[in-house]
Every structure is written in C-alpha cells, then in structure tokens.
Amino acid sequence: MPTKKTAAPKKAASKKTVKKAAPKKATSAKKAPVKKAASRKEPHIKALEGAGHFEPYVEKKGEEYMNPRMREHFRQILSNWKKELMEEVDRTVHHMQDEAANFPDPNDRASQESDFTMELRTRDRERKLLKKINEALDLLDENEYGFCESCGVEIGIRRLEARPTATLCIDCKTLDEIREKQRG
C-alpha cells in the first residue's frame, strides 16, 4: 500500500529588509511651452491642426465666400496634397525597383507579390485622387470652386477643409448616397 506524502512545512520568509525606492523628485528641467487653445475652437478644427497639414481658415466678419484669400487657402491645401501624393508615387517606384528580387522560396515570392499588389492598388486609388485634385484646381482657376455642382449653393469652408475635392454640398451628397443605397 503506497504511503501518503505529506507536504513539507513551508519555510518562513527570511526577514531581509528591502529598501523601497524613494519616489522620484521632480527635476528642474525646462518644461515645453504649452500652446494656448484658441477660444471656442470646434473639435473638428482641433483634429485638422493635429494632422499638421494646414491651419484652418479663419473667416473675417462679413467676408465674401470664396474671395481671393479663401481661394488661395484652398489652392495651397490642394497643391500640398498633390505634392505629397506625387512624392509617394516616386517612393513607391523606387521601392519596387530596389526590393524586386527573384526569391527561390515560393512563400517569399508570394509575399513580395502580395506587397507589390497592395502598393499598386493604393497608388491606383491615389491616381484617381490626383485626378480629382487637378479638377478641383481647375475649378479654382475658373472661380467655380466651393459651389455645389448639383444645386449651386456654397459647399462650406469646413466641409471643403475636410474634403477639399468635394463637389456637392452636404444635402446633395446625402441625397446622392440615399439614391445609391436604394439602387444597390
């Protein structure tokens, strides 16, 4: 008959004194200056500033919609966006040339093909976006930028800052999306 094993009594923990780390004292290093938020900024404007692409347009009281100053603001946004996209196209071309290799392992070749396909798909979407940016720049040249192509009303500064290639006001775009849902 097997004998029961009994658990050995636990040894008492040694009573070594462990020094606790002293709390860190604040150093007298210079703190970064805190930016003051402009009064009554809307949340979407804060998001735009965080992106770092441009400063939101500040309207002056009684200012005419799509005046030369406002058109220049949107021309700058569209031009910078176009420049960034073109730089990304160049980077992709160089990346694909530099990284192209004939891997002996089929899995490595498949991964590379998958990566290249994804990059090319992204560039194709950006190519279509570049076309829209060029169309928006043409509308700026014709002084027709910022007005709904369907009903002719002002699209609005904040909507255009959020989507600089917008050609429909929010109401017409909403109706367009509803019609699209009904069709499909």
Side-chain angles (χ1 to χ4, degrees), residues 89-99:
V89 167
D90 290 343
R91 275 194 292 274
T92 298
V93 169
H94 293 300
H95 170 72
M96 290 181 81
Q97 288 172 343
D98 294 344
E99 297 298 316

Side-chain angles (χ1 to χ4, degrees), residues 74-105:
F74 287 107
R75 183 178 310 284
Q76 193 68 39
I77 290 171
L78 289 162
S79 297
N80 288 344
W81 197 9
K82 180 178 177 179
K83 180 183 170 195
E84 287 175 13
L85 289 172
M86 295 303 291
E87 288 171 356
E88 193 61 34
V89 167
D90 290 343
R91 275 194 292 274
T92 298
V93 169
H94 293 300
H95 170 72
M96 290 181 81
Q97 288 172 343
D98 294 344
E99 297 298 316
N102 191 8
F103 292 108
D105 182 34

Side-chain angles (χ1 to χ4, degrees), residues 119-129:
E119 277 192 55
L120 290 172
R121 203 175 293 157
T122 301
R123 295 305 150 247
D124 188 50
R125 281 195 298 275
E126 289 175 350
R127 180 187 54 80
K128 292 174 184 173
L129 180 56

Side-chain angles (χ1 to χ4, degrees), residues 19 23 60 89 110 122-123 152 167 176-177:
K19 290 186 179 181
K60 294 180 180 174
V89 167
T122 301
R123 295 305 150 247
T167 57
D176 192 43
E177 288 174 355

Side-chain angles (χ1 to χ4, degrees), residues 48-65:
L48 290 172
E49 287 177 335
H53 292 315
F54 61 89
E55 285 290 318
Y57 187 81
V58 180
E59 291 179 82
K60 294 180 180 174
K61 191 173 182 177
E63 185 175 22
E64 181 184 342
Y65 183 72

Side-chain angles (χ1 to χ4, degrees), residues 103-113:
F103 292 108
D105 182 34
N107 291 328
D108 291 339
R109 279 197 309 271
S111 291
Q112 182 184 40
E113 282 294 317

Side-chain angles (χ1 to χ4, degrees), residues 1-175:
M1 184 178 221
T3 60
K4 268 189 172 177
K5 289 187 178 180
T6 57
K10 292 184 181 179
K11 292 184 179 179
S14 64
K15 297 190 177 190
K16 290 183 182 177
T17 55
V18 178
K19 290 186 179 181
K20 292 184 180 180
K24 292 185 179 180
K25 295 181 182 179
T27 58
S28 61
K30 291 184 180 179
K31 292 182 181 178
V34 177
K35 287 185 179 180
K36 290 185 180 179
S39 60
R40 300 183 337 156
K41 278 203 175 180
E42 298 172 18
H44 68 280
I45 293 174
K46 289 178 187 173
L48 290 172
E49 287 177 335
H53 292 315
F54 61 89
E55 285 290 318
Y57 187 81
V58 180
E59 291 179 82
K60 294 180 180 174
K61 191 173 182 177
E63 185 175 22
E64 181 184 342
Y65 183 72
M66 280 303 144
N67 61 46
R69 197 183 101 180
M70 199 178 293
R71 284 196 306 272
E72 185 55 35
H73 171 73
F74 287 107
R75 183 178 310 284
Q76 193 68 39
I77 290 171
L78 289 162
S79 297
N80 288 344
W81 197 9
K82 180 178 177 179
K83 180 183 170 195
E84 287 175 13
L85 289 172
M86 295 303 291
E87 288 171 356
E88 193 61 34
V89 167
D90 290 343
R91 275 194 292 274
T92 298
V93 169
H94 293 300
H95 170 72
M96 290 181 81
Q97 288 172 343
D98 294 344
E99 297 298 316
N102 191 8
F103 292 108
D105 182 34
N107 291 328
D108 291 339
R109 279 197 309 271
S111 291
Q112 182 184 40
E113 282 294 317
S114 177
D115 291 347
F116 284 179
T117 300
M118 188 65 111
E119 277 192 55
L120 290 172
R121 203 175 293 157
T122 301
R123 295 305 150 247
D124 188 50
R125 281 195 298 275
E126 289 175 350
R127 180 187 54 80
K128 292 174 184 173
L129 180 56
L130 279 168
K131 182 180 176 190
K132 286 184 177 185
I133 291 171
N134 287 329
E135 289 169 358
L137 287 168
D138 290 343
L139 288 173
L140 269 167
D141 292 338
E142 298 163 6
N143 292 332
E144 293 184 19
Y145 180 79
F147 297 95
C148 179
E149 68 181 18
S150 181
C151 68
V153 303
E154 298 173 355
I155 293 176
I157 295 168
R158 299 300 165 234
R159 174 162 165 70
L160 288 171
E161 284 182 333
R163 166 104 25 220
T165 57
T167 57
L168 297 174
C169 67
I170 194 68
D171 294 334
C172 290
K173 183 64 177 171
T174 303
L175 287 172

